[in-house]
């Protein structure tokens, strides 16, 4: 080989990291979805930066730092105006972001393997000295890595936007969705689970459209089940009180006395921003008595409460300090399901595909 030929060979050699093999093939097959996601993420980042800057400037200008919306002990002037200006955009943006795991599962996970099985192109990959196990690992691994990075950045951006205003946005409490399912680690775990559920569904059904439809239904059902399970993933706290407060003037009265629209609000150790899980009445023996057993606060219900020897009220709740423990517990449940579905996918690819 001449020196010129050697120089030309060196000149065309790729420098730095580059994709090859199944990694390159997987990226190539789904590059449209990947690049679309990257572009949308960049646009979202610009939007969040602009919105957060405007919000922080408003908080500083109106001295709202540390204020809590509608909490008597830390109520500040101007929280209503702040909510009216910033709540709608943050809330509805959060609702849109909450659909990201579903979109990943349906439009990336659903066709991920189903399309290759439907068209028969997976046989070409498996005939090129590539085992089925290696094929499925790369088919799931590359999209999972992209999903992990992308949704991690998405969640970090929304969390960064929401945290300075979490106590000021009435109607958007920490335990609701948004923000709970779109901040922290939960949205990342949800997206990974949706991806592998879509892939596993496509592997079993071997039809792209059918797998997308079934993935959508399974994802929605799983999301609803998770919301029912979530308050029970971390131990609740319980407080009791021995009086009720009338809504109309705030005066206190002994429990059992008829007060129109009265309700047990006198729980001094219960933080304002808590998530109430359950509540009821407390008997003299210490047993819980359901609040609906005697009906609403009427004269008849007052007699009913006295007949059952009710001496107080109880409430079980999660304080705001449970936010990150519940995030971790929820993400742990989701990731356990993700590992299970992934193991099933690998087994199915080796023995049934």
């Amino acid at each position: 080989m001449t020196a010129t030929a050697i120089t030309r060979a060196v000149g065309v050699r790729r420098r730095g990291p580059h994709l090859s093999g199944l990694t390159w093939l997987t990226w190539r097959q789904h590059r449209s979805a990947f690049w679309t996601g990257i572009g949308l993420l960049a646009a979202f980042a610009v939007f969040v930066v602009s919105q957060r800057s405007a919000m922080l400037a408003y908080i500083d200008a109106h001295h709202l730092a540390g204020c809590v919306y509608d909490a008597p002990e830390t109520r500040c002037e101007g929280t209503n105006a702040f909510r009216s200006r910033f709540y709608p955009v943050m809330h509805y943006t959060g609702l849109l972001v909450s659909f990201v795991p579903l979109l990943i599962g349906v439009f990336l996970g659903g066709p991920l393997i189903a399309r290759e099985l439907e068209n028969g192109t997976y046989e070409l990959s498996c005939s090129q000295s590539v085992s089925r196990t290696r094929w499925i690992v790369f088919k799931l691994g590359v999209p999972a890595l992209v999903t992990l990075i992308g949704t991690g950045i998405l969640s970090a951006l929304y969390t960064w936007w929401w945290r300075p205003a979490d106590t000021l946005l009435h109607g958007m409490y920490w335990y609701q969705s948004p923000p709970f399912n779109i901040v922290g680690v939960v949205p990342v775990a949800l997206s990974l689970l949706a991806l592998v559920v879509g892939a596993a569904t496509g592997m079993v059904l071997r039809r792209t459209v059918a797998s997308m439809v079934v993935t959508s239904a399974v994802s929605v059902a799983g999301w609803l089940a998770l919301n029912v399970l979530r308050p029970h993933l971390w131990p609740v706290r319980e407080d009791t009180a021995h009086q009720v407060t009338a809504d109309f003037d705030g005066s206190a009265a002994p429990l059992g006395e008829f007060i129109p629209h009265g309700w047990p609000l006198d729980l001094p150790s219960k933080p304002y921003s808590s998530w109430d899980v359950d509540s009821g009445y407390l008997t003299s023996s210490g047993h819980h008595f359901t609040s609906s057993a005697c009906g609403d606060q009427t004269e008849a219900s007052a007699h009913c409460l006295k007949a059952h020897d009710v001496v107080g009220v109880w409430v079980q709740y999660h304080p705001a300090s449970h936010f990150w423990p519940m995030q971790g517990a929820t993400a742990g449940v989701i990731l356990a399901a993700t590992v299970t579905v992934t193991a099933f996918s690998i087994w199915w690819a080796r023995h049934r595909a």
Side-chain angles (χ1 to χ4, degrees):
M1 180 180 292
T2 64
T4 303
I6 294 176
T7 303
R8 289 176 179 174
V10 173
V12 298
R13 182 179 299 169
R14 294 182 179 179
R15 297 181 179 179
H18 61 277
L19 302 179
S20 62
L22 286 176
T23 305
W24 174 86
L25 179 61
T26 304
W27 176 271
R28 182 77 176 175
Q29 288 175 324
H30 305 285
R31 64 189 184 280
S32 297
F34 293 152
W35 282 116
T36 299
I38 292 172
L40 291 174
L41 183 60
F44 181 74
V46 173
F47 174 76
V48 168
V49 169
S50 64
Q51 290 294 320
R52 187 177 188 273
S53 298
M55 183 181 72
L56 291 179
Y58 189 97
I59 291 175
D60 290 340
H62 294 81
H63 309 290
L64 296 178
C67 294
V68 179
Y69 184 93
D70 208 26
E73 65 276 12
T74 54
R75 186 180 297 166
C76 306
E77 294 294 333
T79 54
N80 283 326
F82 178 88
R83 181 189 182 278
S84 299
R85 178 170 177 178
F86 293 101
Y87 171 80
V89 63
M90 185 175 288
H91 176 71
Y92 290 113
T93 301
L95 288 179
L96 291 176
V97 173
S98 67
F99 283 97
V100 168
L102 177 63
L103 296 176
I104 289 174
V106 172
F107 293 102
L108 181 58
L112 186 65
I113 296 175
R115 183 174 291 129
E116 290 211 40
L117 295 177
E118 188 173 15
N119 297 333
T121 54
Y122 81 101
E123 296 178 355
L124 177 62
S125 298
C126 293
S127 66
Q128 304 297 317
S129 301
V130 176
S131 66
R132 291 189 175 190
T133 301
R134 187 162 178 257
W135 173 75
I136 188 62
V137 166
F138 275 87
K139 287 293 293 184
L140 290 176
V142 174
L145 180 60
V146 174
T147 298
L148 177 66
I149 296 173
T151 55
I153 296 173
L154 183 70
S155 171
L157 285 169
Y158 194 90
T159 305
W160 181 62
W161 180 18
W162 167 73
R163 289 298 289 177
D166 61 343
T167 61
L168 293 169
L169 294 176
H170 178 71
M172 193 173 178
Y173 298 115
W174 63 269
Y175 50 84
Q176 295 178 328
S177 180
F180 187 88
N181 286 338
I182 55 176
V183 303
V185 295
V186 169
V188 180
L190 281 172
S191 299
L192 290 174
L193 178 58
L195 175 72
V196 298
V197 165
T201 303
M203 189 179 299
V204 173
L205 298 180
R206 305 173 73 95
R207 293 291 183 271
T208 302
V209 175
S211 68
M212 294 172 71
V213 173
V214 173
T215 298
S216 177
V218 171
S219 298
V220 172
W223 183 83
L224 294 174
L226 181 65
N227 280 338
V228 173
L229 179 65
R230 182 158 58 91
H232 309 290
L233 294 178
W234 198 256
V236 297
R237 292 184 183 177
E238 181 173 311
D239 280 347
T240 60
H242 295 277
Q243 63 184 15
V244 295
T245 298
D247 289 346
F248 59 91
D249 62 2
S251 60
L255 186 72
E257 180 177 331
F258 168 56
I259 301 177
H261 311 297
W263 188 244
L265 301 176
D266 294 287
L267 296 164
S269 60
K270 175 179 171 292
Y272 173 79
S273 59
S274 298
W275 178 14
D276 293 347
V277 177
D278 200 2
S279 62
Y281 294 108
L282 193 68
T283 66
S284 59
S285 61
H287 292 105
H288 286 184
F289 185 67
T290 58
S291 58
S292 60
C294 287
D296 297 328
Q297 287 281 352
T298 63
E299 187 172 1
S301 68
H303 294 299
C304 176
L305 294 175
K306 291 178 180 178
H308 286 85
D309 197 23
V310 169
V311 297
V313 293
W314 59 269
V315 60
Q316 293 178 343
Y317 64 93
H318 289 290
S321 60
H322 284 186
F323 176 81
W324 288 112
M326 291 185 69
Q327 277 268 322
T330 305
V333 170
I334 299 170
L335 290 176
T338 303
V339 171
T340 301
V341 176
T342 302
F344 167 80
S345 300
I346 294 174
W347 175 85
W348 189 277
R350 294 181 61 184
H351 299 92
R352 302 294 297 274

